[in-house]
Amino acid sequence: VVGQDHAAPRYRRLAQRLKIDRRVHFLGRRHDVRPYYWAADALIHPALYEPYGLVVLEAMAAGLPVLGSFQCGSANALISEGKNGYFRDALDLRGWVDAMERTQAADAEALASAAVAAARRRDLPRLRSEVRSFVDRLLPGAA
């Protein structure tokens, strides 16, 4: 688990109770996350609320399929169900297990290629333009 998480001690204790603490590592915040994306098979992002999580775009650019929640805006914009990742409700544990199993059974190379292609379609100039357009619609004349 990479990233700042104030709840990490609670999850460390849970990993110990489940006897998986030797397989789950809480690495904290990292300035260069590329090695961690490259070492992963997929990004699991069960966000309860995230308007546009850049972690999803970063993971897909690194060639990772994303298992994202319906509640995550960037997942909704980038994931094509079964092609470059999977959607599940953030609180649907059985759904997450199903998505992980589907990811394991899928053609990893096809998922990776589709993830990179989706990330490329969301390049930063285009994203910036879309955000500016959205803000202009909400607050005319503010920009």
Side-chain angles (χ1 to χ4, degrees):
V1 178
V2 176
Q4 184 174 347
D5 186 356
H6 301 293
R10 180 177 62 177
Y11 292 118
R12 280 192 180 98
R13 288 190 301 275
L14 177 61
Q16 288 171 341
R17 271 199 318 272
L18 296 172
K19 298 184 181 353
I20 60 171
D21 53 312
R22 292 184 183 196
R23 295 180 12 207
V24 178
H25 306 278
F26 295 87
L27 304 175
R29 179 178 280 188
R30 295 290 189 255
H31 291 287
D32 184 2
V33 294
R34 290 175 296 179
Y36 303 100
Y37 284 131
W38 295 335
D41 295 318
L43 172 74
I44 302 171
H45 193 58
L48 288 171
Y49 173 77
E50 188 161 355
Y52 200 93
L54 286 178
V55 66
V56 172
L57 182 60
E58 290 173 348
M60 292 180 103
L64 293 179
V66 172
L67 288 60
S69 67
F70 292 116
Q71 294 86 344
C72 181
S74 55
N76 287 297
L78 292 165
I79 295 175
S80 294
E81 178 75 16
K83 292 189 169 94
N84 60 15
Y86 299 92
F87 284 113
R88 296 299 180 261
D89 184 273
L91 299 176
D92 180 7
L93 182 58
R94 289 183 198 269
W96 289 104
V97 170
D98 171 68
M100 287 185 260
E101 289 172 347
R102 288 175 186 256
T103 301
Q104 270 190 315
D107 178 347
E109 193 171 314
L111 283 174
S113 294
V116 170
R120 284 188 175 142
R121 287 191 299 272
R122 305 300 293 185
D123 64 10
L124 286 178
R126 179 178 172 191
L127 180 59
R128 190 175 15 234
S129 174
E130 289 173 0
V131 170
R132 181 174 293 271
S133 175
F134 178 72
V135 169
D136 286 345
R137 284 193 311 257
L138 285 178
L139 305 167

